[in-house]
Amino acid sequence: MLIYWTLSKFVSHIYGHTSQRHKDKRMAFRGLHVFLVQVFGIFLAIYSNSAAETVRRLEKPLLQTIAMTTYPLNDSSSTYTGYFRGPADTEIKNYRGTVDVITQGENNMFEAVFTNRKYKYDQWITLKSTSTRETLNLISNDNYDMRAQTVFVENSCEVGVEKYERGNITEYVATVRNCADQDKLSTYFSCLLVDQSGGSIQWGSRDLNFPENPAIREYFKYVDTYYTRSEKGVYYAVLNYPAMKADNITLERFGFVLYVIEPNYSAIAASHYWFYDI
């Protein structure tokens, strides 16, 4: 509106100083005035089309780990029991281990019993719900003593995602609020690009207060994701789908992550992360 007011004043000023002898020029200026009004209308139309679309409302994860316990069976194996909250379509996998029992309870609660081999450092449990677009991964550590874990920081966070269409550019804005423990929690957009040769590259949101990584700089023309310290808990991802299509680049995976690394050796899940698939 300020732009239009300024341009109108400028045109009126010209009109006011145009003499009677220049009526033909006055007509030209009136044509300019009509043109500026049309341009301003187009500007308003573009701006209105960039209204936010709510992708995920601001809320806590719907897929949660409530507690985990472990009990050593023998010198080579341990039993883990997990208590989770999630919808009925939740799938559970135990990579390099087994899922022995799944018991469905009330209020979206269920219990799962796993068996893992000791001293296998690439074992993890994955829970996935298609209806919520959420995935939860838990990686066990090499402490096999009998113990329990009841604190999972990601459960406390509220995450919301909005989408904006700006011409050829698609922008996502994520907001994170009320996380209980920021010291061991990382939050960011994550993307995985694959080129026509099958090569892939993955990265997360970068801090604009630090120099960018030259190894991935060339990919920012496809996806650029970042945050600033002046906007706490706000993350941006800018996607250029026409550029990806032109260069035969595929966006294999894109979403938002809550990632926790436990500093305490007594934790059953050494690391765990929640992923919202966009």
Side-chain angles (χ1 to χ4, degrees), residues 5 9 16 23 29 74 106 110 170 195 231 262 268 276:
W5 181 86
K9 286 293 183 182
K23 291 183 179 179
F29 284 127
N74 49 48
E106 297 180 353
F110 57 94
T170 302
D195 61 26
E231 291 183 286
E262 296 287 354
I268 296 174
Y276 180 76

Side-chain angles (χ1 to χ4, degrees), residues 7-266:
L7 291 173
S8 297
K9 286 293 183 182
F10 171 73
V11 173
S12 298
H13 176 75
I14 294 175
Y15 288 169
H17 289 77
T18 304
S19 66
Q20 187 66 29
R21 297 176 302 168
H22 300 98
K23 291 183 179 179
D24 54 337
K25 290 185 179 181
R26 225 181 249 190
M27 294 299 297
F29 284 127
R30 287 175 182 170
L32 174 61
H33 185 270
V34 172
F35 172 75
L36 292 175
V37 170
Q38 291 173 339
V39 169
F40 183 70
I42 294 172
F43 171 79
L44 284 179
I46 294 174
Y47 183 80
S48 62
N49 287 335
S50 66
E53 172 191 339
T54 299
V55 177
R56 186 181 198 274
R57 67 180 185 180
L58 189 67
E59 62 181 345
K60 295 180 179 180
L62 301 177
L63 195 57
Q64 299 183 0
T65 306
I66 305 304
M68 290 191 75
T69 63
T70 182
Y71 181 83
L73 291 176
N74 49 48
D75 292 338
S76 61
S77 300
S78 287
T79 294
Y80 295 82
T81 302
Y83 301 90
F84 306 97
R85 178 179 287 117
D89 69 340
T90 302
E91 299 177 355
I92 305 176
K93 293 181 179 180
N94 184 13
Y95 292 87
R96 298 187 180 275
T98 62
V99 181
D100 302 319
V101 179
I102 300 177
T103 304
Q104 190 74 39
E106 297 180 353
N107 300 320
N108 288 333
M109 292 291 296
F110 57 94
E111 174 186 296
V113 179
F114 315 93
T115 299
N116 280 354
R117 294 281 305 276
K118 291 184 179 181
Y119 313 114
K120 292 289 185 179
Y121 303 109
D122 55 352
Q123 297 180 120
W124 67 94
I125 298 164
T126 298
L127 296 90
K128 183 176 182 179
S129 166
T130 301
S131 63
T132 64
R133 297 158 65 174
E134 298 179 15
T135 301
L136 191 61
N137 286 277
L138 303 103
I139 302 175
S140 60
N141 65 22
D142 58 352
N143 180 352
Y144 299 99
D145 296 335
M146 184 172 59
R147 65 202 192 281
Q149 181 178 352
T150 57
V151 177
F152 295 86
V153 176
E154 64 273 17
N155 294 346
S156 65
C157 299
E158 295 177 325
V159 180
V161 180
E162 292 184 330
K163 176 183 178 182
Y164 299 83
E165 295 289 353
R166 309 189 193 280
N168 290 332
I169 300 300
T170 302
E171 181 181 16
Y172 291 91
V173 181
T175 303
V176 182
R177 295 285 184 268
N178 301 320
C179 296
D181 189 347
Q182 296 284 351
D183 292 338
K184 58 183 179 182
L185 175 69
S186 297
T187 52
Y188 51 89
F189 277 111
S190 176
C191 63
L192 174 65
L193 293 180
V194 178
D195 61 26
Q196 56 186 337
S197 68
S200 63
I201 184 168
Q202 181 174 349
W203 72 94
S205 304
R206 60 192 177 96
D207 186 345
L208 284 184
N209 293 293
F210 286 91
E212 60 191 33
N213 185 347
I216 61 174
R217 183 185 302 155
E218 64 178 295
Y219 297 97
F220 291 166
K221 65 179 179 180
Y222 308 120
V223 180
D224 191 9
T225 173
Y226 56 88
Y227 61 93
T228 65
R229 296 183 185 181
S230 60
E231 291 183 286
K232 186 176 181 181
V234 181
Y235 302 82
Y236 298 90
V238 180
L239 285 68
N240 189 332
Y241 286 107
M244 289 186 237
K245 183 177 180 180
D247 294 344
N248 291 316
I249 298 292
T250 301
L251 183 62
E252 190 74 14
R253 186 172 65 250
F254 173 66
F256 196 78
V257 174
L258 303 173
Y259 180 54
V260 179
I261 297 180
E262 296 287 354
N264 192 339
Y265 186 63
S266 66

